[in-house]
Amino acid sequence: MEKKIATIGWSRLLIVALMIAVGYILYNQGNIPFLIGGEVLLLVVLVCTVIYHNKLINKRIKVERFLEINEKGVKRISGEFRTIEDDGSEYINDSHPFSSDIDIFGKSSLFQLINDTLTKGGREKLVSNLSLKKLPTKEIIEKKQEAIKELGEKIKWRQELLVKGKTTIKNKKKETQELEAFLTWSKEKKEKGISKKLVAYVFIAITFLSIVLSIIKIIPPSYILLVLLINFAVIKLITKDYKEDLEMFNSIKHTIKSYAEILELIEKEEFKSEYLKGIKDKLKSDTSNSCGEEMKKLSNLLDWIGDSSGNAYYLIINIFIFSDIFIVENLEDWRSQNSKELEVWIDVISEIDALSSISNIYFDFDKFTFPKISDKKEVKGKAIGHPLIGEKAVRNDYSLSNNKRVTLITGSNMSGKSTFLRTIGLNLLLSYIGAPVYSDNFTCGIFNIYTCMRTKDNLEENISSFYAEILRIKILIEATKKGEDVFFLLDEIFKGTNSLDRHIGATELIKQLINGGAIGLVSTHDLDLCNLEESDNRIENYNFREYYEDNKIKFDYKLRVGKSETQNAIHLMKLAGIEFK
């Protein structure tokens, strides 16, 4: 394909050189009829060559996109998704209730694993889903589950969707600016005034009449050049107020073409799930016009737009047939007919795009299952694994249900406490966005997730890690006071203070959270905290352990009931070279 494209590219250059040579020779010979006829013939050959060349390039892009899609899928399955360049780092927000603590965005994140969006709108909707900007109802989650399962099974359709969007998201910032400019244009209203097409028809007639008169030698050939110069001036005068619009459309025309093809795919597809049907129904309008067809009309119209300042081919065509005038007039007609629907169409594309991306989880991972959404305050599951670790993850059974409200997890350093907290948090989030989870059987209620795990110093704001932790705890407590259904994940709370204050603070916090109706997990090295289980049956102890082989510390990462009976800090200190007497 590359060889063929290169050959045709050189052919284009050869035809242009031939046009110049033929024009020069015939003009010097004074053979004007052959000059005009030869140039027109070569122009037709050039246009046909350009069209064929573009088709080959588009075909190559399509093949490249299919390769990219499937290579990305293989990376997700093999655990090499961490090498995918787009990790959503720009969405990292340390003040978010949970996203930074459980790896939603950034390197080795959930976003990096599942994101396959092809539009900026789809990307933003995926980010909104993963950020839980709006906590869904049980009904919405169950409808989304059906939609994601259906999309996951439509692998050929989804891949075709991704290929249709091949030209988008190459430059996220640029695409955002272009779409915003496009939507702004669609809402503008300009006075039409005198028909621009009528002016164009008059000057086109004058141009071709001049050519005929020149051929039959009634007027000199030089007169044609004067007419073309006048044409150029008229075009610039009439379209001067549309210069920015034409430049914007010249830049965005490939994206519009992709959007037209995506809308056509969505319109033609028969969906079974109620959620997908509801999204598709938004495309219906009072008019009989298909949104896919309307966007295709716009795309076909934009194919005629060229950069007359840097494209000699387009400049020649423009001054002969006034293409800019017709484009401007037709754009005005399109805007008046479709401006009200445009935002809805783009929103539908974005929704399908985001759901399609999430459905990668269902298609790629056989061991993921859809969770059951409970009306109770509970979280429980069999063989629960960390979604980002995949096949290497040690999977554990876990239950926080019935009258249980807090799980205290103890264990030695590196035994798996923090990873387990993230395991529960990530699977909860997957449940709420309608995705399958990494568990054989997972049940959960609907909660707002709050975490306090990775607090750190903020030198710019003069905040210590301990104070940062206090601020996150404050947000958590305020959420319970507002009556939110809260699920919390707390990792080594109050580690920035002395052991006595840490124990007292943690004890009172856990009691306050339980009384406020919250449930969750707390990991701790404070074994005395485990005594709370004896005085409050709503608290239950779990632990992780280490073992030793050949004087080497090892972990099985298995969750066990009860408090930890092992410690490894002294052993690790010895490995560091500290000598104990």
Side-chain angles (χ1 to χ4, degrees), residues 367 369 379-385 395-399 420 424 427 437-443 558:
K367 293 183 179 179
T369 60
V379 175
K380 58 184 180 180
K382 297 287 185 183
I384 308 169
R395 301 167 71 183
N396 288 290
D397 296 347
Y398 173 72
S399 176
F420 185 71
I424 298 300
N427 281 298
V437 300
Y438 194 16
S439 173
D440 289 347
N441 186 341
F442 193 77
T443 302
K558 297 300 293 183

Side-chain angles (χ1 to χ4, degrees), residues 390-405:
E391 292 288 341
K392 295 179 182 178
V394 175
R395 301 167 71 183
N396 288 290
D397 296 347
Y398 173 72
S399 176
L400 184 63
S401 59
N402 299 323
N403 70 322
K404 301 300 180 184
R405 287 293 173 264

Side-chain angles (χ1 to χ4, degrees), residues 236-274:
K236 289 297 179 184
L237 181 65
I238 294 177
T239 60
K240 65 178 182 179
D241 293 336
Y242 297 87
K243 184 180 177 182
E244 288 185 5
D245 292 344
L246 290 173
E247 287 176 354
M248 180 268 292
F249 278 117
N250 187 40
S251 176
I252 203 175
K253 60 184 178 183
H254 297 298
T255 300
I256 297 297
K257 184 177 181 180
S258 293
Y259 276 39
E261 291 177 340
I262 292 167
L263 280 172
E264 190 176 23
L265 268 177
I266 295 170
E267 274 191 311
K268 289 181 178 179
E269 190 64 19
E270 291 296 324
F271 297 112
K272 295 178 183 177
S273 76
E274 188 179 337

Side-chain angles (χ1 to χ4, degrees), residues 413-414 546-555 568-580:
N413 296 293
M414 304 185 297
E546 84 281 2
Y547 63 97
Y548 299 89
E549 283 184 3
D550 301 325
N551 203 33
K552 292 181 179 179
I553 187 169
K554 294 191 176 181
F555 306 95
N568 68 3
I570 298 295
H571 183 79
L572 291 174
M573 291 176 194
K574 288 179 179 178
L575 290 177
I578 299 175
E579 297 178 1
F580 290 84

Side-chain angles (χ1 to χ4, degrees), residues 407-420:
T407 296
L408 285 175
I409 302 180
T410 50
S412 56
N413 296 293
M414 304 185 297
S415 60
K417 301 188 300 297
S418 301
T419 299
F420 185 71

Side-chain angles (χ1 to χ4, degrees), residues 134-357:
K134 184 179 179 182
L135 198 63
T137 62
K138 179 180 179 180
E139 182 185 12
I140 292 295
I141 294 172
E142 289 174 346
K143 285 181 178 179
K144 270 193 169 184
Q145 287 178 344
E146 290 177 12
I148 286 165
K149 183 179 180 182
E150 183 177 354
L151 286 174
E153 291 168 350
K154 290 180 181 288
I155 179 61
K156 289 183 179 179
W157 185 83
R158 282 195 298 113
Q159 290 207 353
E160 192 64 29
L161 188 77
L162 288 168
V163 170
K164 296 297 184 187
K166 61 187 175 293
T167 58
T168 58
I169 294 294
K170 297 298 181 184
N171 184 324
K172 294 184 281 290
K173 185 176 180 181
K174 184 181 177 185
E175 190 212 7
T176 304
Q177 293 169 343
E178 289 172 347
L179 281 177
E180 286 174 354
F182 180 42
L183 289 171
T184 301
W185 169 85
S186 72
K187 296 170 186 175
E188 288 176 353
K189 291 184 179 180
K190 288 186 178 180
E191 294 291 332
K192 291 195 74 172
I194 188 171
S195 173
K196 300 176 186 68
K197 287 183 180 179
L198 180 60
V199 174
Y201 284 131
V202 169
F203 278 90
I204 289 170
I206 292 171
T207 303
F208 282 93
L209 179 61
S210 300
I211 293 171
V212 172
L213 292 174
S214 175
I215 292 171
I216 61 177
K217 299 184 178 180
I218 292 177
I219 61 172
S222 57
Y223 185 78
I224 297 173
L225 292 175
L226 178 61
V227 170
L228 293 178
L229 285 172
I230 293 171
N231 288 355
F232 181 77
V234 170
I235 291 167
K236 289 297 179 184
L237 181 65
I238 294 177
T239 60
K240 65 178 182 179
D241 293 336
Y242 297 87
K243 184 180 177 182
E244 288 185 5
D245 292 344
L246 290 173
E247 287 176 354
M248 180 268 292
F249 278 117
N250 187 40
S251 176
I252 203 175
K253 60 184 178 183
H254 297 298
T255 300
I256 297 297
K257 184 177 181 180
S258 293
Y259 276 39
E261 291 177 340
I262 292 167
L263 280 172
E264 190 176 23
L265 268 177
I266 295 170
E267 274 191 311
K268 289 181 178 179
E269 190 64 19
E270 291 296 324
F271 297 112
K272 295 178 183 177
S273 76
E274 188 179 337
Y275 196 80
L276 291 173
K277 284 181 179 178
I279 295 172
K280 184 180 173 181
D281 284 345
K282 294 177 185 177
L283 298 178
K284 295 178 181 177
S285 63
D286 298 333
T287 65
S288 58
N289 296 335
S290 154
C291 63
E293 289 176 1
E294 287 300 313
M295 284 294 279
K296 197 170 183 179
K297 281 182 189 176
L298 179 61
S299 177
N300 291 338
L301 177 59
L302 299 184
D303 281 341
W304 284 94
I305 293 181
D307 182 4
S308 57
S309 63
N311 190 324
Y313 314 138
Y314 184 76
L315 177 60
I316 294 168
I317 293 169
N318 197 17
I319 60 178
F320 270 100
I321 63 171
F322 283 65
S323 53
D324 276 357
I325 303 293
F326 288 101
I327 288 167
V328 164
E329 194 85 345
N330 289 331
L331 282 172
E332 288 290 348
D333 293 340
W334 191 92
R335 173 163 58 184
S336 63
Q337 188 172 347
N338 298 293
S339 60
K340 293 179 181 178
E341 310 290 339
L342 185 59
E343 275 193 279
V344 175
W345 298 347
I346 292 176
D347 188 65
V348 167
I349 290 172
S350 301
E351 285 217 45
I352 294 291
D353 190 14
L355 287 172
S356 176
S357 188

Side-chain angles (χ1 to χ4, degrees), residues 111-123:
F111 180 88
Q112 192 176 24
L113 174 69
I114 68 175
N115 175 50
D116 215 4
T117 52
L118 53 96
T119 67
K120 181 64 176 177
R123 182 186 178 84

